Amino acid sequence: MPLFGAHMSIAGGYHNAILSAQTHGCASVQLFTKNSNQWNARDLADDEVKVFRKVLRQSRLRFPMAHDSYLINLASPDETLYRRSIEAFVVEVQRAERLGLRYLVTHPGAHIDSGEERGLARVASALDEVHGRCPRLRVQVLLEITAGQGSTLGHRFEHLQRILELVKDPKRLGVCFDTCHAFAAGYALAPEKEYRATMRVFDQLIGLRRLRVFHVNDSLKPLGTRVDRHAHIGRGHLGLEPFRLLVNDPRFRTRPMILETAKEEGKETDMDKINLATLRSLLHNNTETQTSAPSQLK
């Protein structure tokens, strides 16, 4: 079974994200290690790190991860913002390492008006510097597929392929596949023929071995609109079929699949519970729902 999880709040203490994940029966979890819309953050206190690591160890959650700040732009042509982004990303890596997290998910960034190739080269150079300054850390940076709003990089598999070609140590990088982003970027994920074709292209350009994590989100916007708006599972333009194909794909049975959807909607105050239940119901060995598995996925 895939490792279903969700992005959880650290309000009241970092360990609360772990406890929330446990409450929802999660097998993995994602969190922020600081306010995602601020540059600065107080240092992690020794006692909160100790509590977090203890709770994490007891929880047996697999592949816990963080998402970095949305302010960071490792592709920026503006030297001041570029340097500030690198410094902030070094801190993000260090914080994730100190908390004992396995992955740090990041968006490649936006090239603004400098062009894709130059932007991709800037990202690779920034990652090389970060890795050079964090030489012995275990946390692995995951480049996330993006929807492609504005000049954002990462909405083509070729973008991530190029970054992996340019960096000095590609083994320290992996990829996060966001279903909403990929769909908005123009990659169809259903019917099965289209799902297989998309995964085949990903494998040819990047390699499925580099795909470490899925963000499982439906999309409020149609295919190819390049607009990033998450929807609850089965309630957007993706519908249920892409998720049925994904959660039953044997190649991804040990991959974390993390929700990044709104916590509330209307009178529903726990949408994580509902979305996770929907994903679990799509498993072909679940007797309460569809029992037909997708055919051999290649």
Side-chain angles (χ1 to χ4, degrees):
M1 179 187 295
L3 305 175
F4 295 130
H7 185 106
M8 295 298 186
S9 172
I10 59 172
Y14 289 91
H15 65 286
N16 283 334
I18 304 301
L19 297 178
S20 294
Q22 285 185 291
T23 299
H24 287 82
C26 294
S28 188
V29 68
Q30 179 178 278
L31 53 98
F32 292 123
T33 70
K34 56 182 284 297
N35 188 311
S36 62
N37 291 307
Q38 293 182 8
W39 287 105
N40 298 321
R42 64 173 178 79
D43 292 339
L44 294 169
D46 290 342
D47 59 342
E48 62 186 348
V49 171
K50 183 177 180 180
V51 169
F52 179 86
R53 281 179 167 265
K54 179 180 179 181
V55 175
L56 177 60
R57 184 171 59 253
Q58 293 173 340
S59 74
R60 297 188 177 183
L61 292 176
R62 298 181 63 189
F63 306 113
M65 69 198 76
H67 197 298
D68 71 339
S69 168
Y70 296 129
L71 300 177
I72 292 172
N73 183 4
L74 299 180
S76 176
D78 179 87
E79 195 61 29
T80 299
L81 178 56
Y82 184 65
R83 293 308 315 170
R84 191 173 193 183
S85 295
I86 291 175
E87 295 303 321
F89 198 64
V90 167
V91 172
E92 293 272 7
V93 172
Q94 293 170 337
R95 292 172 76 90
E97 180 77 12
R98 192 161 180 222
L99 289 170
L101 304 180
R102 184 66 187 89
Y103 300 129
L104 174 63
V105 180
T106 186
H107 299 173
H111 66 78
I112 312 300
D113 57 358
S114 62
E116 288 186 357
E117 186 58 33
R118 186 173 180 219
L120 294 169
R122 297 277 276 181
V123 175
S125 179
L127 291 170
D128 282 344
E129 179 176 337
V130 171
H131 286 153
R133 291 169 61 179
C134 305
R136 291 178 293 278
L137 302 192
R138 290 183 62 255
V139 63
Q140 186 178 39
V141 172
L142 302 186
L143 302 172
E144 182 174 354
I145 294 169
T146 66
Q149 290 191 179
S151 66
T152 301
L153 299 168
H155 61 93
R156 304 307 303 163
F157 296 160
E158 289 87 350
H159 291 174
L160 305 187
Q161 177 193 33
R162 184 59 175 152
I163 293 172
L164 290 164
E165 288 174 347
L166 290 172
V167 293
K168 295 177 181 177
D169 192 359
K171 292 181 180 179
R172 295 189 68 177
L173 297 174
V175 173
C176 173
F177 190 111
D178 187 304
T179 54
C180 170
H181 296 176
F183 180 77
Y187 292 103
L189 295 172
E192 184 175 335
K193 180 179 179 181
E194 298 297 325
Y195 172 85
R196 291 170 58 187
T198 292
M199 291 302 176
R200 186 181 305 114
V201 172
F202 183 98
D203 192 28
Q204 291 170 346
L205 294 175
I206 299 172
L208 290 176
R209 69 188 185 283
R210 295 190 186 278
L211 203 169
R212 306 297 192 200
V213 170
F214 287 93
H215 283 168
V216 280
N217 306 300
D218 208 324
S219 175
L220 286 174
K221 299 296 182 179
L223 176 70
T225 54
R226 290 180 60 174
V227 178
D228 178 10
R229 296 291 184 274
H230 296 187
H232 298 294
I233 305 300
R235 301 189 187 187
H237 285 274
L238 274 161
L240 291 176
E241 183 63 6
F243 299 101
R244 185 184 74 86
L245 293 168
L246 179 62
V247 302
N248 289 296
D249 192 328
R251 296 169 299 184
F252 307 132
R253 64 167 59 95
T254 60
R255 298 293 199 280
M257 296 188 180
I258 304 294
L259 288 167
E260 292 182 314
T261 46
K263 301 298 184 184
E264 300 179 4
E265 183 173 280
K267 295 182 180 180
E268 298 291 349
T269 60
D270 191 353
M271 287 304 299
D272 280 343
K273 179 180 179 180
I274 292 172
N275 285 314
L276 287 165
T278 300
L279 289 171
R280 292 173 183 134
S281 75
L282 297 174
L283 290 166
H284 65 74
N285 60 352
N286 189 317
T287 58
E288 296 179 1
T289 186
Q290 301 137 296
T291 57
S292 59
S295 60
Q296 185 66 29
L297 295 168
K298 296 181 179 178

